Amino acid sequence: MDDVLVLPVEYRGESLEFETRIFSYGYTYRVEVDIGGFKVIFEPDEERNYRAISSAEQMDKKENMPDKDLLQAIALQLQALHQ
């Protein structure tokens, strides 16, 4: 499934685009979103809502860490695309 695509997101009145990669993970899939060099993994939960996952290493660096509201906007856009 390893597809690369561009995800358009409306955030604070701006149209943003993020490079994403979809990959298989067990019986489901995950979406890796590159947010200014900070890679965040989104995965669907049991209710098909998306949650963001980041590595502990990235969280320790806190470099280019995306805003929580931006992560929420990306998750909502992923949900909208998969309904």
Side-chain angles (χ1 to χ4, degrees), residues 34-45:
D34 186 344
I35 305 170
F38 194 93
K39 302 215 187 225
V40 179
I41 303 292
F42 289 84
E43 67 179 12
D45 63 16

Side-chain angles (χ1 to χ4, degrees), residues 21-64:
R21 188 173 68 89
I22 301 169
F23 58 95
S24 298
Y25 185 77
Y27 292 106
T28 186
Y29 62 93
R30 287 183 167 180
V31 181
E32 180 184 74
V33 181
D34 186 344
I35 305 170
F38 194 93
K39 302 215 187 225
V40 179
I41 303 292
F42 289 84
E43 67 179 12
D45 63 16
E46 296 79 26
E47 296 174 356
R48 306 307 271 168
N49 297 318
Y50 284 82
R51 59 181 161 222
I53 302 170
S54 184
S55 71
E57 180 181 299
Q58 283 183 311
M59 295 302 287
D60 287 342
K61 288 182 184 176
K62 296 189 192 263
E63 294 173 11
N64 300 324

